[in-house]
Amino acid sequence: MGICELSLREMGSAVARRKVSPAELVEAHLSRIRVCDPTLRAYVTVNEAECERLARDRGRQSGGPPGVAAPLNCIPIAVKDNICTKGLRTTCGSRILRNYVPPYDATAVSRLRDRGCLLIGKTNLDEFGMGSSTENSFFGPTRNPWDLERVPGGSSGGSAAAVAAGMAAAALGTDTGGSVRQPAALCGLVGYKPTYGVVSRRGLVAFASSLDQIGVIARTVEDTAAVLEAVSGWDAWDSTSARRGQVRARQTGEVGKSGVLRVGVPWGFFSEGLDPDVSDVTRAVVSKLEKERWAFEEIDLPHAEYSIAAYYLVADAEASSNLARYDGVRYGEREGGTDDLWEMYVRTRTAGLGTEVKRRVMLGTYALSAGYYEAYYLRAQKARTLIKRDYEEVLRRVDLVLMPTSPTAAFRLGEKLHDPLAMYLSDVFTVGVNLAGLPAVSLPSGYSRSGLPIGLQLIGRAFEDQTLLEAARLFEQVVALEARTPAGLKGLLESGRGGA
Amino acid sequence: MKGFESVIGLEIHAQLLTRSKLFCGCGTGFGAEPNTQVCPVCLGLPGALPVLNRRAVELAVLVGEALHAHTNTSSVFARKNYFYPDLPKNYQISQFDRPLCSGGHLYVSDGGKRRRVRVTRVHLEEDAGKSVHLDDAGGRRTLVDFNRCGVPLIEIVTEPELRSPSEAHALLKALKQILEYTGASSGNMEEGGLRCDVNVSLRRVGERALGSKTEIKNLNSFRNVERALEYEIERQAGLLAGGTAVLNETLMWDAGRDRAVSMRSKEEAHDYRYFPEPDLLRLELKGDWIDDVKSRLPELPEARESRFVESLGLPPYDAAVLCGRRALADYFEEVARLTGEPKSASNWIMTEVLRTAKEGATDEFPVTAANLADLLTLVRSGRISGKMAKDVFARMAGTGETADDAVSRMGLRQVTDVREMRTIVDAVLSENPKSVADYARGKKKLFGFLMGRIMEKTAGQASPTLAESVLRERLEGVREGDANT
């Protein structure tokens, strides 16, 4: 294994100490992409020319642009393709935006650029973030580097696959109902979803505005914190961004030091019907942590059973309105051939939007319609309030909540594609966090019998992201998971070398 | 119409006079090149988010307070969803069940009667763009100008309490005046600064229940509002008289053909699927902040008008004209303050100033308040006559000169010195011995003739009162109040 497997921090210091030139670092990643991505299809667009040019320029300067320092200088970071990048097409995995080039950078992206990061490419996703497998993309499915016949999770599956396969040091994803945490879990990575309002949503193409949050996928907690520090913090361009949202990467070491960490586990909520591999990993991790003075107690989340229903109503209602702008009038693909405005709308959206998107837009439209609003949208909002209260009450007694990120390890391509309900249920452990606006992080926790990664998530109190990150670091140290090379990736690299 | 009464409610949209749009920093100027005042936010590009313009909230609250409405400390923005090419997000950010201001009223004077009309609500929303339909050498097509998109509007909804088209017209006039006084809106209908939709239904006199109503849109002048209501009331009355029910529908006023055309029926009505705008926080206003805005409310037209009558002694008609526009009332008050003579200030403004302003077709006053005040002071002191002053005013309006400069440039001055006047009068008398002799024999009418000679000799610059008294003195040996000789 080489340069592409280094942690972000290791890469940053290698560049800073000139052990690796920016050009070498970029070339290593681009060549990895050339070898692996034709199969994995993690990227929709590779930003090759810009990265090569910037790397050359940085190589000539000593220590990068002024004010820019390690660890992020020259680090190749992948960005989910529903986050706007100026001059670089942003498709949202949709046919309707397949040639759309934004005229501005998302705040998170411009903050990464300011720190010297190189945007190595735009990653594949379920169209507009709607899905849990990255199969709902106009650009075709992404494969899981651990097993090429399996999905990487979703909707940030491209971001997870890219990081897992060494095609980026870290990646931005978006998490509306688990879309950062679940693919991170299925690809053996850290996936961080900040408190709602910590990272600006400006430039994040909205799926469900009250739930969407940009998150980070990386190999270690430290790497995650470095990227999160760069992208977090108040933004005047996003009214829902928080004044107290800045996260610092530096650890204070306070967490766990002063006493025991109290952790609640809702065994009753997730145990029934849980995949035995996931169940075993959960128990093994809990017993490891108990030995390190983590005090576990069983907690009850009485309204958690309504979270899937509430989530899909709220998210789809907002989506039905957010996606109305893709109408062929101003930008995106237009299906012409008619003089009638309404007919143009119908043709454009019929051709331009995928099946799952259409299903959700219809569901959401229905939930907001006169006569149904009270029964669906309003009730879902009430359930949301109760779910949020459950968490608030529990988090008064415990510091963290722990539970599996996904009920299963990575599933096979196509396995749930034609059963939307089964697909929706794979989000059962993640959506509650979005409804409550809380921070949560999925951490690599073990392997299934067939060698697939399994993740557990820690959930913290709102705006206590700093504490959650420190707890995550402790978790990482205690669990001390052996590093493995994803099997699928190994195969690709071997055949790639063979071919070369 | 016999046996029926009409029930009318108005929905008025007024553009707020902010420099930037409601949710982004783009300019709001009228008449810019199409699609030059736009950005990702007002174009609804993917990922763009709205950020509320504080000034727009201030102005909307100011209007709410001027209408005696209650400003809600917590209000909610909502999305109104419908597809239209000039609405780039295909939803409009508006307010729905939690508006900025609720309740309120204003007074409407129509045909000598003054009535209180209740205002249901005042809320903030963004404007849409403008579709331009073309059918020319380039073919039949529609272009969209997004400059207006995101311009801040307030929607003011009245209770259905108006009883006649002319009362609706009067309400619009009163409202426009209030908007102009608060500085919140120009109230200019032609530039789209003020737009009005009307709801109208008929019911039998004495009945309480409302009949089924129609809504008329696309009314772009006060005259059109009145005309459309007259048309629609007559149409509904005709239907009801013939035993036909009025359909609940939305009509579009066609000013060119002077009639309303059906746009859509109740069954085709939009379901706007309102829901709270998740990109904006609930708008929370502190009581102190609202009080601060309230404290900046100017004296409103109604109060000012009665003060002009009661304290300054103006005739009600003059007071009403002067209070018609805030700038005019301010101008009057300034002239009145500087001269200490409200009545003559009012007379001058009602005649010379307004006439000249109208000819120039401009909003600006032809002569500044300070210059006009100086002119009136010259008249009062007798340095120039009232008749001369009109010529001086005309010159000042043309050149922008001060009163003193204009008077001296025109070589004007009034002969007010007694000795000088005696010399002039004596000269006139010696030039007209026959008339003097005839006067002495009793032809008193010749006094006027001699006065004319004096005026002629002085090219009109003789003070008439002084000339008269000197002439009388010379002819009859009467001396009046002249201590200097």
Side-chain angles (χ1 to χ4, degrees):
Chain A
M1 291 295 127
I3 195 172
C4 295
E5 270 63 39
L6 295 177
S7 75
L8 185 153
R9 195 184 62 82
E10 290 162 340
M11 274 182 215
S13 76
V15 171
R17 288 186 286 128
R18 302 186 171 227
K19 290 197 165 171
V20 175
S21 75
E24 284 167 328
L25 187 61
V26 164
E27 187 45 40
H29 282 88
L30 290 176
S31 104
R32 176 68 63 90
I33 291 169
R34 273 177 227 122
V35 171
C36 301
D37 211 44
T39 308
L40 293 175
R41 309 185 73 126
Y43 286 100
V44 174
T45 307
V46 179
N47 194 19
E48 196 169 339
E50 187 191 83
C51 285
E52 285 175 340
R53 180 174 56 77
L54 287 173
R56 268 199 313 276
D57 293 350
R58 300 272 167 89
R60 288 194 205 101
Q61 298 158 359
S62 54
V68 170
L72 292 178
N73 185 33
C74 298
I75 300 295
I77 300 228
V79 175
K80 189 178 181 181
D81 210 20
N82 61 348
I83 302 174
C84 290
T85 43
K86 186 176 179 175
L88 188 61
R89 75 170 176 162
T90 298
T91 68
C92 296
S94 183
R95 179 181 161 168
I96 210 159
L97 291 178
R98 65 175 157 176
N99 293 312
Y100 176 69
V101 179
Y104 72 103
D105 271 332
T107 299
V109 167
S110 69
R111 286 177 179 179
L112 287 179
R113 287 197 208 261
D114 290 347
R115 301 286 186 113
C117 291
L118 302 177
L119 308 181
I120 189 85
K122 304 296 297 288
T123 56
N124 200 14
L125 67 158
D126 288 296
E127 190 176 358
F128 290 103
M130 297 179 180
S132 312
S133 67
T134 316
E135 291 168 293
N136 299 326
S137 168
F138 172 68
F139 300 92
T142 296
R143 290 167 189 271
N144 191 323
W146 292 82
D147 178 344
L148 301 178
E149 296 311 311
R150 291 177 187 268
V151 302
S155 63
S156 312
S159 287
V163 177
M167 301 190 290
L172 294 185
T174 62
D175 193 316
T176 304
S179 284
V180 158
R181 289 162 287 155
Q182 185 253 20
L186 270 46
C187 291
L189 299 164
V190 178
Y192 191 90
K193 183 257 164 201
T195 304
Y196 184 81
V198 160
V199 179
S200 166
R201 291 186 298 116
R202 176 171 206 249
L204 153 57
V205 181
F207 157 17
S209 314
S210 73
L211 301 159
D212 293 340
Q213 188 63 191
I214 289 178
V216 179
I217 294 176
R219 295 189 195 110
T220 67
V221 174
E222 189 182 31
D223 289 0
T224 305
V227 178
L228 193 60
E229 179 180 75
V231 299
S232 64
W234 182 72
D235 177 16
W237 292 85
D238 175 3
S239 310
T240 62
S241 91
R243 295 268 178 186
R244 50 180 170 159
Q246 181 64 55
V247 178
R248 301 277 163 213
R250 177 186 287 277
Q251 304 270 318
T252 62
E254 290 304 307
V255 174
K257 209 168 226 176
S258 50
V260 290
L261 265 173
R262 294 165 304 167
V263 185
V265 184
W267 293 106
F269 168 51
F270 67 72
S271 290
E272 199 186 331
L274 189 67
D275 180 278
D277 285 338
V278 177
S279 176
D280 289 351
V281 166
T282 309
R283 286 175 198 285
V285 164
V286 166
S287 79
K288 260 189 182 175
L289 290 167
E290 268 174 335
K291 290 184 193 126
E292 298 293 323
R293 298 204 303 161
W294 288 46
F296 287 90
E297 61 180 89
E298 175 156 12
I299 53 157
D300 189 23
L301 296 170
H303 301 94
E305 60 177 302
Y306 303 112
S307 51
I308 285 285
Y311 170 80
Y312 277 93
L313 283 168
V314 171
D316 293 356
E318 291 181 11
S320 71
S321 173
N322 283 329
L323 270 62
R325 69 189 66 190
Y326 309 112
D327 60 2
V329 172
R330 277 215 66 255
Y331 49 80
E333 301 282 300
R334 175 192 296 177
E335 292 296 315
T338 170
D339 270 355
D340 184 73
L341 173 67
W342 202 257
E343 183 60 26
M344 188 279 284
Y345 283 154
V346 170
R347 289 188 190 182
T348 295
R349 289 168 67 82
T350 300
L353 301 174
T355 306
E356 180 60 23
V357 170
K358 276 183 268 201
R359 175 164 29 239
R360 296 204 193 186
V361 166
M362 282 191 280
L363 241 157
T365 302
Y366 187 77
L368 289 175
S369 295
Y372 300 97
Y373 180 86
E374 284 78 11
Y376 295 110
Y377 180 77
L378 218 53
R379 280 187 91 184
Q381 287 291 12
K382 285 176 184 166
R384 180 179 189 174
T385 304
L386 295 174
I387 290 161
K388 192 172 177 214
R389 258 185 227 156
D390 281 355
Y391 273 107
E392 281 165 358
E393 270 166 37
V394 160
L395 286 166
R396 266 197 282 275
R397 286 189 290 115
V398 298
D399 300 311
L400 301 165
V401 170
L402 179 146
M403 67 172 117
T405 307
S406 162
T408 63
F411 44 90
R412 291 184 181 282
L413 282 158
E415 189 179 325
K416 300 185 183 179
L417 194 55
H418 303 292
D419 185 354
L421 203 57
M423 191 73 94
Y424 295 176
L425 286 171
S426 61
D427 301 336
V428 65
F429 303 147
T430 48
V431 294
V433 161
N434 299 78
L435 289 169
L438 300 174
V441 55
S442 176
L443 295 155
S445 304
Y447 297 100
S448 71
R449 265 155 282 213
S450 55
L452 292 170
I454 286 169
L456 294 178
Q457 59 176 337
L458 292 177
I459 301 163
R461 299 189 189 102
F463 296 106
E464 294 191 8
D465 294 75
Q466 199 76 51
T467 312
L468 180 62
L469 274 172
E470 298 200 17
R473 171 114 77 161
L474 286 178
F475 179 105
E476 192 179 48
Q477 284 163 8
V478 173
V479 173
L481 196 67
E482 48 155 329
R484 294 186 193 173
T485 303
L489 174 66
K490 207 184 261 176
L492 286 173
L493 291 176
E494 279 158 9
S495 62
R497 253 194 300 277
Chain B
M1 227 358 246
K2 263 218 182 95
F4 290 107
E5 66 173 359
S6 46
V7 179
I8 300 165
L10 305 183
E11 266 180 39
I12 300 118
H13 292 90
Q15 177 180 342
L16 294 174
L17 289 175
T18 56
R19 274 197 297 271
S20 57
K21 292 185 179 180
L22 187 53
F23 299 117
C24 63
C26 291
T28 54
F30 178 76
E33 278 290 296
N35 297 313
T36 53
Q37 296 178 340
V38 293
C39 74
V41 176
C42 55
L43 288 177
L45 295 191
L49 296 171
V51 177
L52 183 60
N53 179 336
R54 185 190 177 89
R55 180 72 184 145
V57 179
E58 280 174 25
L59 293 178
V61 168
L62 207 55
V63 173
E65 294 291 341
L67 294 172
H68 313 284
H70 172 73
T71 300
N72 296 309
T73 50
S74 175
S75 67
V76 175
F77 285 96
R79 290 189 187 174
K80 179 180 183 179
N81 295 284
Y82 64 96
F83 278 76
Y84 204 71
D86 63 17
L87 191 68
K89 303 187 293 292
N90 284 326
Y91 60 81
Q92 178 196 29
I93 305 177
S94 179
Q95 295 192 297
F96 184 52
D97 53 354
R98 303 283 303 272
L100 185 62
C101 305
S102 336
H105 62 265
L106 77 168
Y107 290 94
V108 176
S109 297
D110 176 41
K113 274 190 289 182
R114 182 168 171 275
R115 252 180 15 100
R116 187 172 182 264
V117 176
R118 284 179 301 160
V119 168
T120 316
R121 58 190 277 155
V122 177
H123 77 236
L124 267 170
E125 63 184 29
E126 57 177 346
D127 204 351
K130 203 175 115 188
S131 296
V132 185
H133 304 286
L134 293 180
D135 192 359
D136 56 19
R140 202 168 68 86
R141 63 207 193 280
T142 300
L143 304 177
V144 192
D145 176 5
F146 292 101
N147 282 350
R148 286 200 67 86
C149 214
V151 161
L153 302 178
I154 40 171
E155 179 174 319
I156 301 160
V157 183
T158 76
E159 291 288 317
E161 295 182 343
L162 295 159
R163 293 290 170 264
S164 70
S166 66
E167 206 173 51
H169 186 143
L171 183 134
L172 284 170
K173 240 175 84 183
L175 184 65
K176 177 182 165 143
Q177 215 178 1
I178 290 171
L179 291 172
E180 197 244 342
Y181 266 62
T182 53
S185 173
S186 71
N188 188 332
M189 264 190 136
E190 283 66 40
E191 292 183 2
L194 193 71
R195 280 169 278 166
C196 182
D197 299 337
V198 302
N199 286 293
V200 56
S201 63
L202 298 191
R203 68 178 167 198
R204 288 198 182 279
V205 175
E207 221 164 83
R208 292 199 56 156
L210 294 171
S212 75
K213 64 167 187 188
T214 55
E215 183 181 7
I216 314 173
K217 291 183 175 289
N218 195 32
L219 301 167
N220 53 14
S221 73
F222 288 8
R223 174 73 203 124
N224 275 347
V225 169
E226 199 170 347
R227 182 61 206 121
L229 281 168
E230 284 164 359
Y231 166 91
E232 180 57 13
I233 288 166
E234 204 178 296
R235 190 187 71 90
Q236 288 189 14
L239 287 175
L240 294 174
T244 315
V246 172
L247 284 180
N248 185 337
E249 62 186 337
T250 302
L251 308 168
M252 178 80 102
W253 181 247
D254 184 338
R257 291 191 291 165
D258 199 37
R259 65 195 191 89
V261 208
S262 179
M263 256 174 85
R264 54 181 177 254
S265 71
K266 188 184 178 186
E267 286 70 33
E268 297 162 314
H270 290 303
D271 176 359
Y272 291 118
R273 291 174 283 119
Y274 281 101
F275 73 103
E277 165 59 282
D279 286 333
L280 291 167
L281 304 176
R282 182 181 282 262
L283 177 58
E284 306 278 2
L285 301 177
K286 292 207 176 74
D288 290 354
W289 189 87
I290 297 172
D291 290 343
D292 184 51
V293 172
K294 214 188 288 189
S295 74
R296 279 178 269 152
L297 258 188
E299 184 184 26
L300 293 171
E302 182 117 358
R304 201 168 199 183
E305 212 176 299
S306 50
R307 181 167 60 81
F308 282 8
V309 173
E310 279 149 30
S311 312
L312 303 181
L314 300 191
Y317 175 78
D318 295 18
V321 171
L322 291 175
C323 289
R325 284 186 300 136
R326 183 182 176 180
L328 181 60
D330 287 347
Y331 181 80
F332 158 73
E333 285 218 69
E334 180 69 359
V335 177
R337 186 182 65 79
L338 291 169
T339 58
E341 292 192 10
K343 278 188 184 165
S344 82
S346 165
N347 287 339
W348 268 81
I349 293 169
M350 298 281 291
T351 53
E352 300 306 308
V353 175
L354 286 182
R355 180 164 58 233
T356 317
K358 210 172 272 170
E359 283 164 1
T362 157
D363 240 18
E364 299 200 345
F365 297 105
V367 166
T368 66
N371 284 349
L372 178 60
D374 286 345
L375 179 65
L376 300 199
T377 306
L378 288 181
V379 174
R380 191 172 78 164
S381 70
R383 278 193 54 208
I384 56 171
S385 68
K387 187 170 169 300
M388 285 155 74
K390 290 187 180 175
D391 297 332
V392 176
F393 179 87
R395 184 182 168 96
M396 288 166 73
T399 62
E401 286 166 349
T402 63
D404 280 332
D405 285 352
V407 165
S408 64
R409 293 268 161 76
M410 291 169 78
L412 289 182
R413 69 183 187 97
Q414 189 152 350
V415 178
T416 53
D417 182 83
V418 175
R419 272 176 236 188
E420 193 184 348
M421 186 62 80
R422 282 185 183 138
T423 315
I424 294 163
V425 170
D426 289 349
V428 167
L429 295 182
S430 63
E431 283 161 21
N432 296 281
K434 189 171 179 297
S435 301
V436 173
D438 287 351
Y439 180 87
R441 279 195 297 273
K443 283 189 86 173
K444 299 295 178 196
K445 269 197 238 162
L446 285 165
F447 190 87
F449 167 75
L450 291 167
M451 275 294 287
R453 293 292 91 155
I454 296 167
M455 284 300 172
E456 200 172 87
K457 201 168 191 67
T458 59
Q461 294 180 17
S463 157
T465 37
L466 182 64
E468 194 182 316
S469 81
V470 170
L471 182 62
R472 203 171 294 282
E473 168 198 304
R474 286 311 197 216
L475 289 174
E476 302 186 357
V478 182
R479 295 173 62 153
E480 289 176 19
D482 181 7
N484 296 328
T485 50

